[in-house]
Every structure is written in structure tokens, then in C-alpha cells.
Amino acid sequence: MTTALALLESSFKIPQHLQLLSIRNYAISNNINISFYGNERVGYENRHDLFIEYIEKSREEAYLFFTIEQFIFNDIFYTELLIEATNKGLLLFFANENLKITNRMDIINTKILLLSKTSRAYRKISKINY
Amino acid sequence: MEITKYINEFTAQGYSIVPIENINIVNESRNFISNYISKKYKVTGSSEYILNHCHELIDQITDSKVNQFILEIINEFSKYYKMDQIIYSSCATFLERILGPDIASQKHPNIVFQYPNSERISELHSDAPANSFYEIVSWLPLVNCYSSKSFYILDKNKSFSLLSSYRNNQFNSFKELRAQAIKEATHLEVDYGHALFFWSGLLHGSVINKTNESRWSYNVRYKNLFAPAGLKEPLSFYNIFSKSAITELASELI
């Protein structure tokens, strides 16, 4: 069984209790033991101070995030930290996306799939045809 | 030449029933399901017979019992098979011509079992929206499907026309829209050995199965890897199914 630190999305656009439900459900389905829960300092999420410190101190073997959105700001997917973590052999899980990242190829594939995330395009088409 | 005919048909009406070019893998997976049922209920017979008459084996059949039964089958099936691979391999030429070599497939494909007189039908709907308008739905029956054992579909023009009328409040209720849709729809006949492919924007649904046989089918959705994902979260809804050489090269830099 893998043990992971759960890191919630701290803007809390999705309420905390729903994030916890999703995280716990993912952990049960994937045989993950949650060591502790935490979140980045509110308002400074994109600095990932907590995550960086934990990586540097090798405090955990795995991290369970609520969503990959925690690494996306202004439509840019920031991969540097993810690459650093996987280079150290850490396992990264994302409950909302049912996603596991363990190596560079996983990060590339995630980036490719994110390219198709264009709900604005859907709305435009929807308005024309329906 | 033959494939061009089906692609033209797909483009013109939004759907096409395509003969499977590689039946072996479909046969194998169908036998796997019927063998599972055969062992569970200690019955013998051909795969076709077991699947068609499976509902007779379940004591006092209910929707919740059926749901549990199908979940067991999906769990067992997914240990040995990838449904997106089965359907793609069975109609690879057609699908690559439609989608190109960069393909995303649905992460959690479905096995559908509809037994006679079950009221759990698929109500009139189109997959897109919320699914991507760039998606193709594949539907591969494991038994011959006909009349109420199959389902109905409205081609591109009829779907557009009905949805436009609905948007302009020309129907008093959803019930009226559904009645009109069923009246105008094509009630499909799809024999085993064929797959139905349809565009995600088409209206479709099923009615209560009034035959004495059960319907079994696989369904998986595919889209071009780079096409918009609609309102579906791409990471939770899709897998990368295949990448072209140029995408592999570009992947080195992103």
C-alpha cells in the first residue's frame, strides 16, 4: 500500500468537504493510505511552498492532489515541479482526474490531453447549431 | 473502395453500420463473457444462445441485480481486454480514416445489457453536448439487434431539425419531442459482425425491449487527440489511444 500526503486545492472553488470526498474515494479505489492532509497557503497556491519543502526534505513517497488544476495558472500547465518530483521517484496522484503521474511521459501525455480542454469552443458551436 | 462508401454515408447522415474487418478478437471477447456466465450459472450452449437468453438464468431478475451482474462482468472483462482496442482493431481502417492517427479513447467504456421488458431504457438524448462534438460513438452488438431489441437514431438533418424546433419551443413538453423523434427515427437493425458508428451530435435512444432476447453491446467513444473535449474533463474521460510520428516528435519538446 502506498502512503501519500493529500494536498487540497486551496482556493476552495470546490468546497473542502467535496474535495475530501473525492480524495478519500480515490485513495480507497487505489489502495492509498493518506498520511496527512494539507494545503498551500491561501492566496499563494501557485508558489507551492509546502510541496517544494516536502520534496526537498523527501518527507513523503507520494502526494495525492485534489486536481491537476493546482498546477495550471492562466491556462498554462506548469510542469517543472512535477518533473522534479518524478525525477526523485515520487508518485503523484490526482483524485478529480483519476490520474497518476510517475514519469516524464505521463507528464507529456497529460499536457497533450489538456490541449483539448476548450469548453469555450463547445459553447461557440453549441450556440450556432443548437 | 468499400470503406469510402461507409465514410461517405457517415458524413452524409452522421452514422454508418460498418462490417467488422477483424472478427476474431470480437469473437474471443464475446466467448469470454459467455463463458463467465456459463460457469456462474452452470449452463451450456453457444455464446449467442447464452447471451440472448441470459435473462432467463437470473432468478427474479431486477435492475439492481442486473447492475451488480454487469459490474462483475466489466471487472472481470477489464482484467483481460481493452474494449477500445477491440473495437478499434475490428474497424481500424474506417476509424483511422475518420479520426486520423492521433486518437483519444474513452477511459471507461461500457458493456450494455438490456433484458426483455426492462424499463431501464436509454432516453432520447445526444451525447454532445456535454461530450465533444468531435467525438464518434462506436456501438458494437454482441448479438443480432433488431426492432425493440436495438435502438433508434435520427440522422444529422432530422436531429438538427428537431433540436431547432425544441429550442424554438415548438413542442409543449419533452414527451412530445420524444414521441416525434421516435416517429421520425430509423430503428436500426445491426447484426453481430457489424459495428454502428455515429456522430455524438445525433439524437438517439432505446425503447423497452419487447422481444424475448437480451441485447448485449459494447460502446466506446473516440475523438482526435487534439480536438476540443467539450465539457468533459479530458484527463478523467479520455486515454491517449494512439499518437502519430509527428506528435511523438513534438512530445520531446513540450
Side-chain angles (χ1 to χ4, degrees):
Chain A
M1 181 181 263
T2 305
T3 299
L5 173 72
L7 284 170
L8 281 76
E9 194 279 308
S10 50
S11 76
F12 295 109
K13 280 178 282 189
I14 305 295
Q16 182 175 1
H17 67 284
L18 295 180
Q19 291 194 40
L20 288 172
L21 274 177
S22 177
I23 285 171
R24 284 176 192 148
N25 187 42
Y26 182 89
I28 291 166
S29 305
N30 292 278
N31 206 22
I32 294 168
N33 173 47
I34 297 173
S35 59
F36 202 61
Y37 292 87
N39 60 266
E40 298 293 345
R41 199 169 159 225
V42 176
Y44 297 90
E45 295 87 2
N46 57 357
R47 292 191 184 179
H48 291 288
D49 295 334
L50 192 63
F51 184 39
I52 290 169
E53 187 180 318
Y54 272 56
I55 293 175
E56 282 170 357
K57 292 184 177 171
S58 300
R59 288 186 60 166
E60 301 281 344
E61 59 171 328
Y63 294 84
L64 170 48
F65 296 90
F66 170 62
T67 172
I68 194 74
E69 298 282 342
Q70 288 165 247
F71 292 88
I72 299 171
F73 300 99
N74 297 327
D75 289 337
I76 297 169
F77 179 35
Y78 288 92
T79 56
E80 292 82 356
L81 264 179
L82 302 179
I83 291 168
E84 188 184 331
T86 53
N87 283 346
K88 289 192 170 188
L90 300 175
L91 307 177
L92 308 174
F93 304 102
F94 300 87
N96 185 49
E97 291 80 16
N98 190 20
L99 175 71
K100 179 181 175 181
I101 290 180
T102 62
N103 55 45
R104 187 170 173 273
M105 188 48 72
D106 288 341
I107 297 169
I108 289 169
N109 286 342
T110 299
K111 198 161 190 174
I112 290 173
L113 280 168
L114 284 170
L115 292 175
S116 63
K117 192 173 177 175
T118 55
S119 56
R120 263 169 276 163
Y122 142 75
R123 288 198 181 91
K124 196 175 171 191
I125 293 164
S126 172
K127 200 172 175 185
I128 294 166
N129 289 336
Y130 292 94
Chain B
M1 186 63 184
E2 182 84 339
I3 283 298
T4 304
K5 178 183 128 190
Y6 296 112
I7 287 169
N8 291 342
E9 191 174 76
F10 179 81
T11 312
Q13 58 187 24
Y15 71 91
S16 184
I17 297 166
V18 179
I20 286 173
E21 62 187 60
N22 177 8
I23 193 74
N24 293 341
I25 182 70
V26 182
N27 282 339
E28 190 191 315
S29 67
R30 178 169 91 149
N31 290 340
F32 178 88
I33 296 173
S34 67
N35 286 340
Y36 179 85
I37 297 167
S38 168
K39 278 181 198 157
K40 185 177 169 84
Y41 293 101
K42 297 181 177 56
V43 289
T44 53
S46 67
S47 286
E48 188 181 1
Y49 180 83
I50 288 172
L51 294 180
N52 269 325
H53 296 278
C54 181
H55 56 277
E56 295 164 8
L57 306 170
I58 303 171
D59 186 35
Q60 292 179 324
I61 195 162
T62 61
D63 291 325
S64 65
K65 273 188 188 176
V66 164
N67 194 36
Q68 190 56 40
F69 168 64
I70 290 299
L71 284 176
E72 278 171 30
I73 289 178
I74 289 175
N75 283 339
E76 208 51 36
F77 183 91
S78 49
K79 288 179 191 166
Y80 302 96
Y81 297 99
K82 286 182 184 294
M83 199 186 294
D84 55 353
Q85 193 65 57
I86 291 173
I87 295 185
Y88 190 86
S89 315
S90 69
C91 293
T93 314
F94 177 82
L95 281 170
E96 183 159 343
R97 284 276 297 277
I98 298 274
L99 295 164
D102 290 300
I103 298 173
S105 61
Q106 189 182 351
K107 219 172 193 174
H108 301 292
N110 301 310
I111 296 176
V112 175
F113 167 59
Q114 198 194 12
Y115 60 95
N117 298 314
S118 166
E119 290 182 355
R120 293 282 179 190
I121 56 166
S122 173
E123 285 291 0
L124 173 72
H125 70 284
S126 63
D127 286 25
N131 285 42
S132 170
F133 279 100
Y134 297 84
E135 213 171 71
I136 184 168
V137 186
S138 62
W139 186 82
L140 195 153
L142 300 181
V143 287
N144 293 340
C145 289
Y146 55 91
S147 67
S148 59
K149 187 186 171 190
S150 185
F151 73 92
Y152 62 86
I153 199 160
L154 288 106
D155 68 20
K156 190 175 67 179
N157 293 338
K158 286 178 180 168
S159 288
F160 282 165
S161 167
L162 272 184
L163 285 166
S164 170
S165 303
Y166 188 60
R167 187 184 60 216
N168 295 327
N169 299 317
Q170 289 172 21
F171 294 102
N172 291 320
S173 63
F174 175 75
K175 201 174 164 185
E176 265 188 28
L177 169 71
R178 182 176 54 203
Q180 187 62 27
I182 291 174
K183 194 174 156 189
E184 289 187 23
T186 302
H187 295 259
L188 298 166
E189 285 205 9
V190 189
D191 283 343
Y192 179 65
H194 292 71
L196 165 73
F197 293 96
F198 62 97
W199 175 53
S200 56
L202 296 192
L203 287 170
H204 61 283
S206 64
V207 293
I208 292 175
N209 177 1
K210 291 289 184 189
T211 73
N212 58 5
E213 294 176 339
S214 287
R215 162 155 68 87
W216 286 84
S217 58
Y218 299 152
N219 66 69
V220 182
R221 287 147 186 83
Y222 302 88
K223 73 169 188 68
N224 182 281
L225 190 51
F226 299 107
L231 289 184
K232 294 285 176 176
E233 166 57 56
L235 290 168
S236 57
F237 195 72
Y238 298 110
N239 279 321
I240 294 185
F241 181 78
S242 61
K243 284 192 266 187
S244 65
I246 197 73
T247 299
E248 291 284 4
L249 279 173
S251 298
E252 297 292 319
L253 293 172
I254 63 174

